Amino acid sequence: MFRRIMVPLDGSSLAERALPVAARLARASGGTLVFVEVVNQTLTYSPYPMGAFDVPPVDLYDAEKGARAYLKEVTARAELAGIAHETYVVSGPVAVSIIQAVADHHGDLLVLSSHGRAAVARWVLGSVAQKLARHAPVPVLVLRTDTPSLTRTQAGEQDLPFEVLVPLDGSPLAEAALQPADELLTALSGSSPATLRLLRVVELPPVPGNDDKPQLREELDANASEAMLREAQTYLSHVADRMRALPNFGRHVTIATTTLLDDDTTQGILDGAHGRQFGRPPQETPAVAAIVMATHGRGGLDRWAMGSVTERVLHESSFPLLIVPPGRASASDPAHASGASDDPVSAPTVS
């Protein structure tokens, strides 16, 4: 389970949208919330959005003092009552400082909103959130500001089915997302019916030399797609069986499998999240509450890496996305899930 949940904050209400989800996860695991705020001369603390008022920048000492007061106010809120918490104020580049804080304070999950402070210093996809998703050594749960919360507070919501989607490509590295997905689903679903949906998107390989023979190409595609879909379904069934056999697998969790044929893997994943089945269009209402993906999948040119399928899903979807880094053990085959980060980052100055 996620026991030390890191929540980066920047003083904005948008960044604070991570609080209810982080609190729910901490309550489910009996864990600790670790709040981190980064200050420096460029990103100075203010209760107002950058640029909202023409005021001179404050010095680093005042920024740290303001950040500590802000975090003290956050931890006193009723929604966090009874949850163990720690607060840290660090200085340096924002993303690098947060990553260092994860290492220094033994975090095992980062939870953050995809947007934060407004104007120049804002957290946006392509900036801090993207850097954390790419470089953090622990899973990163990126929440959306334009979708309903993963927590359920309205009457009757607790009984609604809860489902997360795990796209797989047949590799052990992609399977590294399975155990974190089960942990997330178990923690957030509570007593609601919970489904872990495994998805395999099948892309047909090109058949050279048949462009001038459309009927032959159609027959070849039909035969190939049928065989590849059968192979994909067999693979997903084997993964599901291995998951169910794990001693720590969520016992109230149902595993479902979906195979899709699509010439664009990312679009297939997004359609699968909207409930598309083979031969049926996507639903208007999203079918899943979140997507869980590893940052790497197949080796070589076909790998899933930040900058490829996972990054496209991060940018193009409106779903909360749990991104699992390389090196996180696979639930179905722990011995094979390993890897190294593509782009190491330098350490910040921590104060």
Side-chain angles (χ1 to χ4, degrees):
M1 294 291 288
F2 301 120
R3 301 285 299 180
R4 292 183 61 79
I5 301 163
M6 310 285 294
V7 184
L9 295 174
D10 66 356
S12 73
S13 59
L14 288 173
E16 290 173 9
R17 294 188 182 186
L19 293 177
V21 175
R24 188 178 181 94
L25 290 169
R27 292 186 193 281
S29 67
T32 300
L33 292 177
V34 182
F35 298 101
V36 177
E37 181 157 0
V38 181
V39 296
N40 55 38
Q41 278 80 7
T42 303
L43 181 62
T44 53
Y45 177 83
S46 169
Y48 307 105
M50 295 287 287
F53 297 93
D54 185 15
V55 295
V58 296
D59 63 27
L60 193 58
Y61 173 81
D62 288 339
E64 291 175 349
K65 183 178 178 181
R68 291 191 184 95
Y70 165 68
L71 292 179
K72 183 177 180 180
E73 182 272 323
V74 168
T75 58
R77 295 181 185 179
E79 64 184 321
L80 305 181
I83 301 176
H85 63 265
E86 300 170 11
T87 61
Y88 298 96
V89 176
V90 299
S91 62
V94 179
V96 176
S97 299
I98 293 171
I99 290 171
Q100 186 63 47
V102 171
D104 291 343
H105 304 297
H106 311 289
D108 53 26
L109 175 70
L110 266 167
V111 181
L112 68 153
S113 173
S114 62
H115 293 67
R117 208 184 274 279
V120 176
R122 70 189 182 277
W123 289 357
V124 294
L125 293 177
S127 182
V128 173
Q130 186 184 54
K131 291 175 183 176
L132 293 177
R134 180 176 294 172
H135 297 296
V138 298
V140 179
L141 179 57
V142 181
L143 304 174
R144 309 311 214 180
T145 60
D146 55 352
T147 54
S149 171
L150 290 177
T151 59
R152 292 172 172 181
T153 58
Q154 301 299 319
E157 285 185 329
Q158 293 85 351
D159 298 326
L160 296 175
F162 201 101
E163 184 171 315
V164 300
L165 181 75
V166 183
L168 298 173
D169 67 358
S171 72
L173 285 170
E175 291 174 17
L178 289 168
Q179 184 172 339
D182 179 43
E183 294 174 7
L184 181 74
L185 180 60
T186 300
L188 293 178
S189 62
S191 59
S192 301
T195 300
L196 183 66
R197 183 166 297 278
L198 311 181
L199 172 69
R200 180 77 181 270
V201 178
V202 174
E203 290 190 55
L204 284 177
V207 182
N210 291 296
D211 293 339
D212 58 341
K213 302 175 182 178
Q215 183 175 356
L216 176 59
R217 176 57 194 261
E218 185 176 340
E219 292 175 0
L220 290 172
D221 282 354
N223 292 334
S225 63
E226 184 177 349
M228 293 176 71
L229 286 169
R230 282 199 305 267
E231 180 183 356
Q233 183 57 56
T234 299
Y235 161 71
L236 293 180
S237 296
H238 288 164
V239 172
D241 289 342
R242 294 199 304 269
M243 286 290 291
R244 294 186 187 100
L246 293 174
N248 59 344
F249 178 67
R251 293 306 170 192
H252 77 292
V253 174
T254 299
I255 299 181
T257 61
T258 297
T259 57
L260 289 176
L261 190 67
D262 204 302
D263 57 6
D264 183 335
T265 298
T266 301
Q267 189 57 54
I269 291 170
L270 299 180
D271 284 352
H274 281 276
R276 174 184 161 200
Q277 302 282 341
F278 184 63
R280 292 191 298 176
Q283 302 173 10
E284 291 185 7
T285 303
V288 304
I291 302 172
V292 183
M293 296 181 68
T295 55
H296 290 63
R298 286 189 185 278
L301 296 177
D302 292 330
R303 74 182 186 277
W304 286 356
M306 297 306 294
S308 183
V309 174
T310 306
E311 187 159 304
R312 278 191 61 198
V313 173
L314 179 63
H315 277 277
E316 297 178 19
S317 81
S318 59
F319 293 92
L321 181 62
L322 179 64
I323 300 171
V324 181
R328 176 82 183 209
S330 166
S332 62
D333 195 354
H336 292 92
S338 62
S341 176
D342 287 338
D343 302 301
V345 294
S346 57
T349 300
V350 179
S351 61

